[in-house]
Short mmCIF file of all heavy atoms in Angstrom, two decimals:
data_model
loop_
_atom_site.label_atom_id
_atom_site.label_comp_id
_atom_site.label_asym_id
_atom_site.label_seq_id
_atom_site.Cartn_x
_atom_site.Cartn_y
_atom_site.Cartn_z
N GLY A 820 7.24 28.55 -16.46
CA GLY A 820 6.68 27.20 -16.57
C GLY A 820 5.94 26.74 -15.33
O GLY A 820 5.80 25.54 -15.10
N ALA A 821 5.45 27.65 -14.50
CA ALA A 821 4.71 27.27 -13.29
C ALA A 821 3.50 26.42 -13.68
O ALA A 821 2.81 26.71 -14.66
CB ALA A 821 4.27 28.50 -12.53
N GLY A 822 3.24 25.35 -12.91
CA GLY A 822 2.15 24.42 -13.20
C GLY A 822 2.56 23.27 -14.10
O GLY A 822 1.94 22.23 -14.09
N TYR A 823 3.64 23.44 -14.84
CA TYR A 823 4.14 22.37 -15.71
C TYR A 823 5.04 21.43 -14.91
O TYR A 823 5.66 21.80 -13.93
CB TYR A 823 5.02 22.96 -16.83
CG TYR A 823 4.29 23.56 -18.00
CD1 TYR A 823 2.92 23.75 -18.01
CD2 TYR A 823 5.01 23.94 -19.13
CE1 TYR A 823 2.29 24.31 -19.11
CE2 TYR A 823 4.39 24.50 -20.23
CZ TYR A 823 3.02 24.68 -20.20
OH TYR A 823 2.42 25.23 -21.29
N TYR A 824 5.11 20.18 -15.41
CA TYR A 824 6.11 19.24 -14.90
C TYR A 824 7.40 19.45 -15.67
O TYR A 824 7.39 19.72 -16.86
CB TYR A 824 5.62 17.80 -15.07
CG TYR A 824 4.39 17.51 -14.25
CD1 TYR A 824 3.12 17.58 -14.80
CD2 TYR A 824 4.51 17.18 -12.90
CE1 TYR A 824 1.99 17.32 -14.04
CE2 TYR A 824 3.39 16.93 -12.14
CZ TYR A 824 2.14 17.00 -12.71
OH TYR A 824 1.03 16.75 -11.95
N ASN A 825 8.50 19.31 -14.95
CA ASN A 825 9.80 19.53 -15.58
C ASN A 825 10.86 18.73 -14.84
O ASN A 825 10.59 18.17 -13.77
CB ASN A 825 10.12 21.03 -15.57
CG ASN A 825 11.09 21.42 -16.67
OD1 ASN A 825 11.64 20.59 -17.38
ND2 ASN A 825 11.31 22.72 -16.82
N GLY A 826 12.06 18.70 -15.40
CA GLY A 826 13.20 18.21 -14.64
C GLY A 826 13.55 19.25 -13.59
O GLY A 826 12.92 20.30 -13.48
N ILE A 827 14.57 18.93 -12.80
CA ILE A 827 15.00 19.82 -11.72
C ILE A 827 16.08 20.74 -12.27
O ILE A 827 17.04 20.26 -12.87
CB ILE A 827 15.58 18.99 -10.56
CG1 ILE A 827 14.58 17.93 -10.10
CG2 ILE A 827 16.00 19.89 -9.41
CD1 ILE A 827 15.23 16.78 -9.33
N GLY A 828 15.95 22.05 -12.04
CA GLY A 828 17.04 22.89 -12.54
C GLY A 828 16.79 24.36 -12.42
O GLY A 828 15.76 24.81 -11.93
N GLY A 829 17.76 25.10 -12.90
CA GLY A 829 17.68 26.56 -12.86
C GLY A 829 18.95 27.16 -13.43
O GLY A 829 19.71 26.49 -14.13
N LYS A 830 19.15 28.42 -13.09
CA LYS A 830 20.26 29.16 -13.70
C LYS A 830 21.59 28.86 -13.03
O LYS A 830 21.67 28.74 -11.81
CB LYS A 830 19.97 30.65 -13.58
CG LYS A 830 18.68 31.06 -14.29
CD LYS A 830 18.40 32.55 -14.07
CE LYS A 830 17.00 32.90 -14.56
NZ LYS A 830 15.93 32.42 -13.64
N VAL A 831 22.63 28.80 -13.84
CA VAL A 831 23.99 28.71 -13.31
C VAL A 831 24.37 30.10 -12.79
O VAL A 831 24.21 31.10 -13.50
CB VAL A 831 24.97 28.25 -14.41
CG1 VAL A 831 26.41 28.22 -13.88
CG2 VAL A 831 24.56 26.88 -14.93
N GLU A 832 24.84 30.16 -11.55
CA GLU A 832 25.13 31.45 -10.92
C GLU A 832 26.61 31.78 -11.03
O GLU A 832 27.44 30.92 -11.36
CB GLU A 832 24.67 31.41 -9.46
CG GLU A 832 23.15 31.26 -9.36
CD GLU A 832 22.63 31.08 -7.93
OE1 GLU A 832 23.45 31.00 -6.99
OE2 GLU A 832 21.40 31.03 -7.78
N ASP A 833 26.94 33.03 -10.73
CA ASP A 833 28.34 33.49 -10.74
C ASP A 833 29.21 32.58 -9.89
O ASP A 833 28.83 32.23 -8.77
CB ASP A 833 28.41 34.90 -10.13
CG ASP A 833 28.44 35.96 -11.21
OD1 ASP A 833 28.33 35.59 -12.40
OD2 ASP A 833 28.58 37.14 -10.86
N GLY A 834 30.38 32.22 -10.39
CA GLY A 834 31.33 31.44 -9.61
C GLY A 834 31.03 29.95 -9.58
O GLY A 834 31.73 29.21 -8.90
N GLU A 835 30.00 29.52 -10.28
CA GLU A 835 29.64 28.10 -10.31
C GLU A 835 29.99 27.51 -11.67
O GLU A 835 29.91 28.21 -12.67
CB GLU A 835 28.12 27.94 -10.21
CG GLU A 835 27.55 27.81 -8.87
CD GLU A 835 26.05 27.62 -8.93
OE1 GLU A 835 25.38 28.04 -9.89
OE2 GLU A 835 25.54 27.06 -7.97
N ASN A 836 30.29 26.21 -11.69
CA ASN A 836 30.28 25.55 -12.98
C ASN A 836 28.93 24.86 -13.17
O ASN A 836 28.07 24.87 -12.27
CB ASN A 836 31.47 24.60 -13.15
CG ASN A 836 31.44 23.45 -12.17
OD1 ASN A 836 30.39 22.89 -11.88
ND2 ASN A 836 32.62 23.10 -11.66
N VAL A 837 28.73 24.27 -14.33
CA VAL A 837 27.42 23.74 -14.68
C VAL A 837 27.04 22.58 -13.75
O VAL A 837 25.90 22.47 -13.30
CB VAL A 837 27.41 23.33 -16.17
CG1 VAL A 837 26.12 22.67 -16.54
CG2 VAL A 837 27.64 24.55 -17.05
N VAL A 838 28.02 21.71 -13.45
CA VAL A 838 27.72 20.55 -12.60
C VAL A 838 27.38 20.99 -11.17
O VAL A 838 26.41 20.50 -10.58
CB VAL A 838 28.89 19.54 -12.61
CG1 VAL A 838 28.69 18.46 -11.56
CG2 VAL A 838 29.01 18.91 -14.00
N SER A 839 28.15 21.94 -10.63
CA SER A 839 27.83 22.36 -9.25
C SER A 839 26.48 23.06 -9.21
O SER A 839 25.73 22.93 -8.23
CB SER A 839 28.95 23.19 -8.64
OG SER A 839 29.32 24.25 -9.46
N ALA A 840 26.11 23.78 -10.25
CA ALA A 840 24.78 24.41 -10.30
C ALA A 840 23.69 23.34 -10.35
O ALA A 840 22.67 23.46 -9.67
CB ALA A 840 24.67 25.32 -11.52
N ALA A 841 23.91 22.29 -11.14
CA ALA A 841 22.91 21.22 -11.24
C ALA A 841 22.69 20.56 -9.88
O ALA A 841 21.55 20.29 -9.48
CB ALA A 841 23.34 20.20 -12.29
#
Side-chain angles (χ1 to χ4, degrees):
Y823 280 9
Y824 295 97
N825 205 353
I827 306 159
K830 299 177 190 75
V831 177
E832 295 174 356
D833 262 4
E835 269 182 334
N836 64 39
V837 175
V838 170
S839 52

